[in-house]
Amino acid sequence: MYQHLIPVINLFCTNIIIIISIYSAGYFFLNQFQVKKFFGLILISGVIITSILSLFINFFLPIDYKISFIIIFILFIYFLKLNKYKADLLKIIIISFLSIFFYYAGNNAEDFSIYHLINIQAIIENKIILGLIKIKLNLGQSPISFYGDAIFQSLPFIKTIINYMSFITFVGLISFLIEIIKSKKHYYFSEYFLIISTLYVVLKFSRLGSHGADLISLVLILCGIYFFLNINLKKINQEDNFNNIFYTLTFISSAIFFKIFSITYYLLFFLILFFLIKRKQIKKYYKLIFTIITFNLFFLLKNFLISGCLIFPIQETCFNNFLWSSDNYTIYNWKLINEAWSKGWYDHFSKNYYEYIKNLYWLNTWFNNHFIKSLEKFFIPIILIIILIKKLKRKTIYRNNINFNIIIVFFVSFLSVTLWFFNSPLTRLGLIGLIPFIILILNFKFLRNFKFTLSTNTISFIIILIPIFFLTKNTYRIYNTSSDYENFPYPRINKNEIKNVDNKKVKVKQENGIKFYIYDKEKCFTIKFPCLPKYKEKKFLFLKKYNYIILKNL
C-alpha cells in the first residue's frame, strides 16, 4: 500500500509546483496589459509564456536542472507576492488532485515515443541544436510546449519525462467555461459555441493517451474564436472591446506555435488589425502587437535553426545554403509520405504513395476506412452534444440580422476544413476547423446570433458532469489496465514496451568531439541524446562550433 502511495504523492506535489509556476507566468503576462483575468485563461496564458521563455533561454543554454530551478524559484516568489493567490490556491490544489487520475499508470500517445521524448531530451541536455530534424524529421513540427515541459523535468519527485503543458491547457479551458457560465445570466452564440466545444474536448481528451501535440493549439483557437465572436467590429473603439481583442490577438497568434494547421486563423488576426487601423485605434495595441511580433520571431528563428525552414515543411520558406539545412527533396518527400499516410495509404500499400495521392485516387480508400471512424469519434459525439445543449437552453431569441463575426468564423473554419481535407485528413488534425464548422452548420438560424438562458439546475449539471466524467473515465482505466503498478506508476514511454532499453544493444560512438549513441532497435526511448535507432541511416556529420552542436549534411 505504501509503495502505491508514493507515486500518488509525487504526482500531486509535482503538479502543485508546476501549476503554481504556470499560474504565476500567466498572471504576470496578463497583468502587463491590465486585462480582465480568468483563472482558466491565466493557466492557458502561462503555458504560452513559460514555453516562449524556455525557448528563448534555449537559444543560449540547455534547460537543465539549474535553469529550471531558477525559473521555478522566481515564479514561486512572484506567486507568494500576489494578493489573489490565496483565492486561487484551492483551485490549484483541486487540479493537482485531478492530475493524479490523469497521469497514474497512464499510457502516452503513440507520438510521444516517436518524437516528443526526443525533443524534450534535446532541450534539457543541449542548447538549441542546428539541424536537429536530421535526427527525426518530425521534430520540425514540434510544438513549443515541449520547451515549457522541459522546465519541469528536473523536479526531484518524478524521473519519468512527462508532458505537463497539455493537461494544464485542458483544465484551463474547463475552468474558463465554468467561470463564464457561472458569471452570466444571459448567453449568446459565443457561449453556446464555448459550451459545445469544451464538452467535446472533455469527451475526447480526458485521458493522457489522447493528448498528442494537437490539443494546445485547438484550445487556443477555440478560446480565440469565443472572444472574436464577442468583438463589436463596427464599434471597435469601445473600451469593453479591449479584453476581447486582447485575448483574440494573443491566442490566435500563438496557436501556430503549437500546430501549423492553425495558420488559417491568422485571417482573424489581420482582420482585427485592419479595423483597428481603420478606426485609428492601433496605438492602444502597440505593446501587444510588439510582443506578438517578438514571440513570432522567436518561433521562426527556432524553426530556421533546427530545420533551415521558417515554417517546416513549407518548401517556399526553406533555405538550402546553410550548414544545417535539409535539402528540398528530403522535405518534400517526407511531406508527401505524411500526406499519403493521413489519406489511408497504410490500407493501400500496393500503390506507390506518390501515385496514391494523385487525382483523388485516395478518396475511396479514405472514405471507406477513416471517414467511418470519424463518424464514430467526432461527428456523432459532437452532434449529440449539440442536440443536448439545444434541449437544455431556454428562452432563445434570435437576432434578425446576420452576424458579421459569425460569417467570418464560418468562412475561416470552412477554409481550414478544406485545407485539412486535401492535405492531412486525419480527424485529430482537423478539429480546429471541424468543431466550429459543424457547430455553425447545425445552428438552426444559420449565421445569426441569438440570446438564451440556462436554468440553475442545468448550470450545476454541466459543472458537476465534467469532473464526474473525467474521474470515472480515468478510474475505470486505472482499475482495468494491465499495467504493473509497481513498475509503471507513472506514464509509460510506450505502452507496448515492458523494458524500454536493452543496454547490450547500445553502442557509443564519437565524432568531432560529440558523443552519440546507436541503438539496435526501432526507438531510442530514454537513451541519452543524441541517439540513432538501427534503421536510421546517418547522412550527416556532428560538428561543434561556438559550443553549438550542428548536424551538417554529408
Side-chain angles (χ1 to χ4, degrees):
M1 178 68 182
Y2 179 70
Q3 287 181 330
H4 296 299
L5 191 60
I6 291 175
V8 169
I9 295 171
N10 286 345
L11 284 167
F12 179 73
C13 293
T14 298
N15 277 279
I16 281 186
I17 293 171
I18 293 169
I19 296 168
I20 286 175
S21 301
I22 297 295
Y23 177 94
S24 299
Y27 196 98
F28 174 80
F29 173 70
L30 297 180
N31 211 37
Q32 305 311 301
F33 298 92
Q34 297 299 309
V35 293
K36 185 177 181 180
K37 301 175 186 68
F38 299 86
F39 177 78
L41 299 187
I42 291 172
L43 293 182
I44 295 170
S45 300
V47 168
I48 298 170
I49 298 307
T50 49
S51 299
I52 286 286
L53 173 64
S54 180
L55 168 60
F56 176 73
I57 294 172
N58 194 236
F59 287 139
F60 311 100
L61 296 165
I63 309 299
D64 58 16
Y65 73 95
K66 292 176 285 188
I67 297 297
S68 295
F69 284 131
I70 290 170
I71 295 172
I72 293 170
F73 178 76
I74 292 171
L75 292 172
F76 247 77
I77 296 300
Y78 180 78
F79 179 78
L80 294 174
K81 289 186 175 183
L82 292 175
N83 294 326
K84 192 187 176 185
Y85 86 88
K86 292 181 181 178
D88 286 338
L89 186 58
L90 178 60
K91 297 176 186 177
I92 292 172
I93 291 171
I94 292 171
I95 293 170
S96 301
F97 172 75
L98 293 174
S99 73
I100 297 169
F101 294 85
F102 185 75
Y103 289 114
Y104 188 78
N107 290 313
N108 282 294
E110 184 180 353
D111 285 350
F112 185 82
S113 61
I114 296 173
Y115 70 100
H116 297 198
L117 177 63
I118 302 170
N119 205 167
I120 295 173
Q121 284 177 316
I123 295 165
I124 294 170
E125 297 172 16
N126 305 273
K127 52 187 171 183
I128 197 160
I129 297 174
L130 281 66
L132 178 65
I133 66 167
K134 291 183 177 63
I135 298 286
K136 191 85 177 175
L137 283 164
N138 305 65
L139 295 170
Q141 291 187 312
S142 293
I144 67 165
S145 56
F146 295 164
Y147 290 87
D149 287 320
I151 295 173
F152 304 105
Q153 305 305 323
S154 299
L155 290 171
F157 308 107
I158 299 173
K159 301 302 179 185
T160 304
I161 289 179
I162 297 175
N163 284 138
Y164 296 107
M165 299 296 104
S166 187
F167 173 71
I168 294 172
T169 306
F170 172 74
V171 295
L173 176 65
I174 296 169
S175 299
F176 177 55
L177 172 67
I178 292 172
E179 289 173 288
I180 289 295
I181 62 175
K182 284 176 65 178
S183 64
K184 294 191 174 187
K185 292 183 179 179
H186 297 94
Y187 309 98
Y188 295 89
F189 178 79
S190 57
E191 283 77 35
Y192 173 78
F193 171 82
L194 184 67
I195 292 169
I196 293 171
S197 55
T198 302
L199 290 179
Y200 177 77
V201 168
V202 171
L203 183 67
K204 172 71 176 174
F205 295 98
S206 286
R207 286 184 177 177
L208 175 63
S210 59
H211 282 235
D214 313 305
L215 176 65
I216 299 177
S217 179
L218 172 62
V219 170
L220 290 173
I221 292 299
L222 296 178
C223 290
I225 290 174
Y226 169 79
F227 284 106
F228 178 79
L229 290 170
N230 285 305
I231 297 173
N232 189 336
L233 291 170
K234 293 180 181 179
K235 299 179 180 179
I236 205 163
N237 57 323
Q238 291 181 343
E239 282 300 317
D240 56 2
N241 265 327
F242 181 79
N243 289 321
N244 295 324
I245 292 171
F246 172 85
Y247 282 116
T248 303
L249 293 179
T250 301
F251 291 157
I252 293 296
S253 66
S254 299
I256 191 176
F257 305 157
F258 302 92
K259 209 66 182 177
I260 191 65
F261 288 102
S262 60
I263 197 169
T264 51
Y265 285 91
Y266 244 99
L267 291 172
L268 302 183
F269 180 90
F270 291 122
L271 180 66
I272 293 172
L273 289 188
F274 169 77
F275 276 94
L276 289 174
I277 294 169
K278 184 179 179 180
R279 303 290 182 181
K280 298 181 180 179
Q281 297 295 309
I282 195 70
K283 285 185 179 180
K284 289 172 58 177
Y285 298 90
Y286 275 169
K287 184 179 177 181
L288 175 61
I289 293 169
F290 175 78
T291 302
I292 289 171
I293 291 172
T294 303
F295 288 176
N296 274 266
L297 288 175
F298 289 165
F299 172 69
L300 295 174
L301 178 59
K302 183 270 293 186
N303 289 346
F304 172 68
L305 292 177
I306 68 171
S307 68
C309 304
L310 295 177
I311 302 177
F312 182 89
I314 300 176
Q315 287 178 276
E316 291 77 11
T317 69
C318 299
F319 301 86
N320 297 63
N321 53 340
F322 292 89
L323 283 176
W324 62 88
S325 298
S326 294
D327 62 276
N328 279 341
Y329 174 77
T330 300
I331 295 171
Y332 179 68
N333 194 53
W334 180 82
K335 182 175 179 293
L336 286 185
I337 291 174
N338 277 270
E339 180 181 337
W341 196 265
S342 68
K343 291 176 176 177
W345 182 48
Y346 48 84
D347 292 318
H348 210 292
F349 280 140
S350 59
K351 203 170 189 69
N352 178 281
Y353 65 87
Y354 181 75
E355 295 295 326
Y356 175 76
I357 60 177
K358 284 177 64 176
N359 302 322
L360 296 180
Y361 178 86
W362 55 274
L363 189 57
N364 187 55
T365 302
W366 177 86
F367 186 85
N368 291 328
N369 293 281
H370 185 74
F371 180 72
I372 301 303
K373 294 177 183 176
S374 298
L375 285 175
E376 176 188 348
K377 294 182 178 180
F378 172 71
F379 290 103
I380 293 176
I382 199 167
I383 289 171
L384 290 176
I385 292 171
I386 290 171
I387 292 171
L388 173 65
I389 300 305
K390 283 185 179 293
K391 293 289 185 183
L392 293 175
K393 66 185 178 74
R394 302 163 56 187
K395 300 178 182 178
T396 304
I397 302 173
Y398 283 90
R399 300 289 172 87
N400 293 326
N401 300 325
I402 292 175
N403 185 277
F404 179 73
N405 297 48
I406 296 177
I407 293 173
I408 296 301
V409 171
F410 174 75
F411 169 76
V412 175
S413 63
F414 175 74
L415 178 61
S416 179
V417 169
T418 303
L419 291 175
W420 161 79
F421 180 76
F422 287 105
N423 288 280
S424 295
L426 286 176
T427 303
R428 65 179 180 85
L429 298 178
L431 291 177
I432 57 172
L434 288 168
I435 290 176
F437 184 72
I438 294 298
I439 293 174
L440 283 163
I441 285 291
L442 296 181
N443 179 16
F444 290 152
K445 300 287 186 177
F446 186 55
L447 301 181
R448 292 183 182 180
N449 201 352
F450 54 81
K451 183 180 179 180
F452 67 99
T453 62
L454 293 172
S455 68
T456 304
N457 289 337
T458 298
I459 294 171
S460 300
F461 170 72
I462 293 172
I463 293 172
I464 294 170
L465 175 67
I466 291 173
I468 288 178
F469 176 81
F470 174 86
L471 289 170
T472 302
K473 194 172 182 180
N474 282 286
T475 302
Y476 179 82
R477 171 188 58 78
I478 293 170
Y479 183 77
N480 288 279
T481 185
S482 60
S483 297
D484 179 347
Y485 290 158
E486 293 184 5
N487 293 328
F488 298 103
Y490 307 115
R492 293 190 188 192
I493 292 171
N494 186 295
K495 65 182 179 181
N496 297 318
E497 289 289 324
I498 302 300
K499 185 176 181 181
N500 288 325
V501 175
D502 182 353
N503 291 320
K504 293 179 182 179
K505 296 186 177 182
V506 180
K507 295 180 181 178
V508 182
K509 295 195 174 186
Q510 194 158 332
E511 187 174 79
N512 295 319
I514 298 170
K515 186 187 291 186
F516 65 98
Y517 303 85
I518 303 292
Y519 188 39
D520 192 23
K521 282 195 174 183
E522 291 185 0
K523 298 175 184 176
C524 287
F525 298 111
T526 55
I527 297 171
K528 191 174 174 65
F529 185 89
C531 171
L532 299 172
K534 65 176 183 179
Y535 72 87
K536 179 76 177 181
E537 183 183 354
K538 185 172 172 292
K539 296 181 179 180
F540 58 87
L541 290 174
F542 284 101
L543 297 177
K544 201 161 193 177
K545 286 192 175 183
Y546 306 108
N547 212 28
Y548 283 88
I549 294 177
I550 301 173
L551 308 187
K552 178 189 175 184
N553 289 321
L554 287 175

